[in-house]
Amino acid sequence: FPVTVCESPLAAEAVRAAIGARELPLPKRHPQKILLIGDTGCRMKADGNESLFQACNDPQQWPFRALAELAAAQAPDVVIHVGDYHYRETACPPGNAGCAGSPYGFSWSSWEPDFFAPGQALLAAAPWILVRGDHETCDRGGQGWWRLLDPRPLASQRDCNDPANDGIGDYSEPYGVPLNDDMMFVVFDSAVVGNKALKPSDAQYQLYAQQFTKAFALGATRANAFFMNHQPILGYNSDGKPKAQPGNAALQSVLDAIVPNVLFPPNVQAVLSGHVHMMQIVTFTTPQPPIFIPGNGGTELVADFTSFPPDDTPVPGAIVANLLHTASFGFMTMERGATGWVIRSWDRSGRAVTTCTLFARKASCTPLATP
């Protein structure tokens, strides 16, 4: 990482911030528009289980830069990235013009073209809240995560430099970002979690149980909270095939012991996640909060769902009121209204794909716009 990274706390009363001649966007006391995006990098990976090389050189096949510019034009007050920034893991195969010449690996030479250069317009548009994804674990892009994106000071055993310390570097404590007097956004690091239910005797179960308790305590300091993590706890997962799978069983198994059946405290208005490379919104007639998944920010899209679990629910005991999903590139916006929020999903042409209203933990959405 041949770059210098500087950090400094910004006083709440600050009216201007700059690095040299570069003006920095300041947080607003009462933000009205929040932009959601996720899973943005260009996928380059080959191993025994997976081989996929996205055409990083083709802006139609990897449109993150265009999406970032379109999103910046929305003039958001805050940007939230729900995880997975880095995807260029292995070398482009010889003769593949789509990704020819692309750097790969986990150093700055890959982080810059995968995230910082194409995301420049959006990075300059507003302050960001960043969620850690499974592509930022210590055995992947974790070194870049800790150096470049995580808001906490870099600690020696939490820098992913020594594999012996990965049990420390792969986890971090939840934290809260108050965006208004009555609103808290809670950031939860689930980067390294698997998808099988955990036993109470498992070390990971015990750690996540402690962290969920802390996260909910942070959220309880405001009347309304939004919970953010990468893996979709209340949404449908995917292994890249069109068969939908229930949301993350590992995290569900821990949450069910803390808030039985419902999984989230009553003041959590919605869950924001990524991981599944599509746009997805799931609402419930049961008390679970809705989930919004803007996982369509540029990474190779998964095949759209064509079949669902036998009980057709992402979490045991929950009844789905509405499920919207589309395998097309885009992002979301959240705008605060007089009562609740208006949440829109946008496609790469700037067209609203669906519009949802969120109030008192319940969301209602318009049908998906026809292609």
Side-chain angles (χ1 to χ4, degrees):
F1 290 86
V3 291
T4 298
V5 178
C6 303
E7 59 184 22
S8 178
L10 184 67
E13 63 273 15
V15 296
R16 178 179 178 269
I19 300 175
R22 178 176 294 178
E23 295 283 335
L24 303 180
L26 291 178
K28 292 185 177 180
R29 183 76 176 101
H30 300 286
Q32 298 299 308
K33 178 183 281 191
I34 299 171
L35 192 132
L36 310 174
I37 195 167
D39 299 271
T40 52
C42 185
R43 196 173 189 89
M44 291 173 52
K45 183 176 181 180
D47 60 26
N49 302 316
E50 183 180 22
S51 180
L52 197 155
F53 290 89
Q54 195 172 350
C56 308
N57 300 329
D58 184 346
Q60 294 301 311
Q61 298 297 314
W62 182 55
F64 175 42
R65 182 185 295 273
L67 288 173
E69 292 172 353
L70 186 64
Q74 289 264 359
D77 298 324
V78 178
V79 176
I80 294 174
H81 194 301
V82 292
D84 282 2
Y85 312 80
H86 179 284
Y87 278 84
R88 303 186 193 216
E89 298 186 294
T90 57
C92 183
N96 186 327
C99 55
S102 173
Y104 65 94
F106 302 108
S107 65
W108 172 251
S109 65
S110 295
W111 270 95
E112 183 183 28
D114 224 18
F115 179 65
F116 287 96
Q120 184 175 5
L122 191 54
L123 286 164
W128 282 50
I129 304 173
L130 303 115
V131 179
R132 189 181 186 183
D134 60 298
H135 278 252
E136 289 79 53
T137 55
C138 281
D139 62 346
R140 303 177 93 173
Q143 290 178 314
W145 166 259
W146 283 111
R147 284 159 178 75
L148 306 170
L149 299 181
D150 188 90
R152 288 158 284 213
L154 185 65
S156 61
Q157 290 186 314
R158 202 177 292 278
D159 54 16
C160 294
N161 279 351
D162 185 349
N165 296 323
D166 284 0
I168 299 173
D170 273 335
Y171 298 90
S172 60
E173 291 295 299
Y175 63 92
V177 182
L179 290 188
N180 216 320
D181 295 336
D182 66 344
M183 182 172 57
M184 178 72 76
F185 281 67
V186 179
V187 184
F188 191 90
D189 181 354
S190 63
V192 78
V193 73
N195 199 30
K196 294 183 179 179
L198 299 170
K199 299 177 181 178
S201 58
D202 293 340
Q204 191 177 65
Y205 180 105
Q206 295 169 12
L207 176 62
Y208 281 144
Q210 295 172 3
Q211 292 188 341
F212 276 125
T213 301
K214 291 178 182 178
F216 295 155
L218 288 167
T221 61
R222 296 292 190 277
N224 303 291
F226 288 83
F227 183 90
M228 300 186 291
N229 79 300
H230 184 62
Q231 288 82 354
I233 299 170
L234 295 172
Y236 290 93
N237 216 322
S238 170
D239 60 358
K241 299 181 177 63
K243 182 179 180 180
Q245 302 171 3
N248 191 275
L251 298 175
Q252 288 179 11
S253 66
V254 182
L255 285 165
D256 192 53
I258 301 173
V259 187
N261 303 317
V262 181
L263 306 187
F264 291 90
N267 75 316
V268 174
Q269 300 303 308
V271 178
L272 312 177
S273 299
H275 194 57
V276 186
H277 300 167
M278 62 168 59
M279 187 286 294
Q280 187 183 144
I281 300 169
V282 188
T283 67
F284 301 93
T285 60
T286 42
Q288 291 82 8
I291 184 169
F292 297 87
I293 303 175
N296 55 341
T299 300
E300 184 80 14
L301 298 167
V302 300
D304 209 351
F305 294 145
T306 57
S307 61
F308 294 86
D311 59 357
D312 196 13
T313 182
V315 58
I319 300 174
V320 174
N322 198 10
L323 166 62
L324 300 175
H325 55 95
T326 177
S328 59
F329 293 115
F331 53 86
M332 293 181 181
T333 55
M334 298 173 53
E335 293 186 75
R336 190 160 192 177
T339 57
W341 292 83
V342 176
I343 302 175
R344 292 183 175 89
S345 175
W346 303 86
D347 66 14
R348 64 192 300 171
S349 69
R351 180 187 62 157
V353 176
T354 183
T355 299
C356 307
T357 56
L358 173 65
F359 177 71
R361 200 177 169 122
K362 293 296 181 183
S364 176
C365 303
T366 61
L368 290 176
T370 57

